[in-house]
Amino acid sequence: MEKRRVLTGITTTGTPHLGNYVGAIRPAIEASRDPNNESFYFLADLHALIKCHDPKRVQESRREIAATWLALGLDTDNSVFYRQSDIPEITELTWLLTCVCAKGLMNRAHAYKAAVQDNEAEGGADPDKGITMGLFSYPVLMAADILMFNATDVPVGRDQIQHIEMARDVAGRFNHIYKGQYFKLPEARIEESVAVLNGLDGRKMSKSYNNTIPLFVPEKKLLKLIRKIKTNSLEPGEPKSTEDCTLFQIWQAFADENQIADMRQQYENGIGWGDMKNALFELVNDHLKEPRSKYEELMNDMGYVEEVMQKGAEKARAEAGARIDLLRKTVGFGSFV
């Protein structure tokens, strides 16, 4: 059976948090251990420049994310782990794809349309005010990320499905114009079973809302943040619902079946919110204690992390170089002899 190629990018603009771990990192690392998969994971630092012009923040985020994935056990022998910016063939492919991509397709991109709508809502004369070409055309860069390695499966949330469809459109257009099957058409992989965690305020955990719990904060800080999670006013002894409860939702993401059943019963018995928060801290802290120690070790040994990233770039470029050579000839480039 032909192996499936799974590709995941991680934008380097923030510090990994519990929501990232449960929703993306943990399932990706599990997928990398599946012998039926060929896994590609990359730090999407080119994408980071679309919304972050702080070089220190981008650089620190790259360090934190690389160390996080390695601390959590990513097997780099059985996957390709690289920085997007280390693969110049991706930017060259982005241009080749840009030249066959219809502007009308980019006009329909959700992020661009939302930015235009915000400008129009403010009553400005220019609907494109503040919108860069990076924001407008980043679905083409995303398509290049995927098509460079002919990924077959791209795990995404439902809000990203459009970008996979755009990658398919651009790939099909290139294949049609140059009369060949140069690119496979990727498929969005929607992980229905993957949890989406809420943050401190009950909304989806996101750095945009400033409501996250960073993955590897020290124990005291972790306890302090968990105690900040919003709850209702029910007193100890009053039965509580597990539905729409952020504390229980996070508990489910880290507990086994027996622990989940036991805590559900404690909710019915009226566990106090303080006791629940202390129990949740103990559970999450135990789960993260070993990888936190490894993470701290890696953050103090960037020489090793850099070595891992360079090896990943070598593996990625070995394939990207061969593909871009073929595509250069396809569009009419190359030497005269």
Side-chain angles (χ1 to χ4, degrees):
M1 182 176 67
E2 184 179 358
K3 289 188 176 183
R4 306 294 291 177
R5 286 202 154 193
V6 182
L7 181 139
T8 298
I10 314 98
T11 306
T12 56
T13 54
T15 298
H17 53 71
L18 294 188
N20 297 144
Y21 171 64
V22 171
I25 302 173
R26 184 169 64 183
I29 290 176
E30 290 172 357
S32 73
R33 296 169 181 157
D34 185 338
N36 295 317
N37 289 338
E38 291 179 331
S39 300
F40 291 74
Y41 304 112
F42 65 95
L43 308 185
D45 45 7
L46 296 178
H47 285 284
L49 301 185
I50 293 168
K51 52 186 175 181
C52 182
H53 297 153
D54 180 351
K56 290 183 179 179
R57 174 73 286 226
V58 172
Q59 177 66 355
E60 186 62 18
S61 179
R62 297 195 323 158
R63 289 158 48 95
E64 291 171 347
I65 292 171
T68 294
W69 280 68
L70 296 176
L72 290 168
L74 179 65
D75 186 346
T76 55
D77 290 331
N78 293 317
S79 60
V80 184
F81 187 47
Y82 58 98
R83 287 175 297 222
Q84 185 186 32
S85 60
D86 284 341
I87 318 298
E89 292 84 357
I90 289 174
T91 52
E92 183 170 354
L93 177 56
T94 299
W95 182 249
L96 299 186
L97 299 179
T98 297
C99 291
V100 302
C101 177
K103 178 179 178 292
L105 185 64
M106 294 298 97
N107 288 343
R108 297 193 290 274
H110 295 324
Y112 172 65
K113 288 175 65 177
V116 169
Q117 288 169 1
D118 287 344
N119 284 334
E120 291 175 342
E122 293 175 0
D126 181 7
D128 286 322
K129 180 182 178 181
I131 298 175
T132 65
M133 284 303 299
L135 174 66
F136 180 72
S137 61
Y138 87 90
V140 185
L141 175 58
M142 186 170 174
D145 292 325
I146 297 166
L147 301 178
M148 175 57 74
F149 300 104
N150 266 335
T152 57
D153 298 67
V154 186
V156 291
R158 292 198 172 277
D159 60 334
Q160 291 284 316
I161 292 176
Q162 184 195 46
H163 295 133
I164 310 305
E165 293 173 344
M166 287 179 164
R168 291 172 61 90
D169 287 343
V170 173
R173 180 68 174 160
F174 188 97
N175 289 345
H176 174 73
I177 290 173
Y178 292 104
K179 299 178 175 57
Q181 295 303 308
Y182 299 101
F183 299 116
K184 294 181 179 179
L185 303 188
E187 297 177 6
R189 179 188 285 184
I190 308 300
E191 303 286 358
E192 299 289 0
S193 61
V194 171
V196 177
L197 294 190
N198 289 336
L200 302 178
D201 58 2
R203 294 181 293 177
K204 176 184 174 181
M205 191 176 293
S206 170
K207 57 182 176 290
S208 300
Y209 298 143
N210 195 30
N211 67 352
T212 66
I213 300 177
L215 191 57
F216 291 135
V217 289
E219 291 186 5
K220 289 183 179 179
K221 179 66 172 178
L222 176 62
L223 177 58
K224 184 177 180 180
L225 288 170
I226 287 176
R227 285 178 173 168
K228 284 185 175 181
I229 294 174
K230 184 178 179 181
T231 56
N232 58 38
S233 58
L234 291 175
E235 297 290 335
E238 294 184 80
K240 297 172 177 64
S241 173
T242 59
E243 296 296 320
D244 299 321
C245 176
T246 299
L247 294 172
F248 189 78
Q249 181 199 45
I250 298 175
W251 181 273
Q252 280 185 304
F254 286 89
D256 61 32
E257 291 184 5
N258 291 333
Q259 291 170 317
I260 293 171
D262 177 68
M263 185 54 69
R264 197 180 296 277
Q265 184 61 53
Q266 290 193 54
Y267 265 61
E268 293 178 8
N269 295 342
I271 186 173
W273 291 129
D275 290 339
M276 174 54 184
K277 289 179 178 181
N278 289 337
L280 179 60
F281 163 74
E282 294 294 340
L283 177 71
V284 174
N285 190 54
D286 285 348
H287 188 90
L288 297 178
K289 188 170 292 185
E290 184 176 336
R292 182 195 295 129
S293 177
K294 180 66 175 176
Y295 172 79
E296 292 170 353
E297 178 184 322
L298 289 168
M299 288 296 287
N300 289 312
D301 188 7
M302 275 294 126
Y304 171 77
V305 177
E306 179 63 23
E307 183 180 329
V308 171
M309 301 310 299
Q310 290 290 347
K311 289 180 179 178
E314 287 176 15
K315 288 197 285 187
R317 290 201 68 191
E319 180 163 338
R323 178 154 293 124
I324 205 69
D325 282 348
L326 170 63
L327 296 173
R328 280 173 145 262
K329 293 173 184 176
T330 299
V331 300
F333 295 166
S335 66
F336 293 147
V337 292

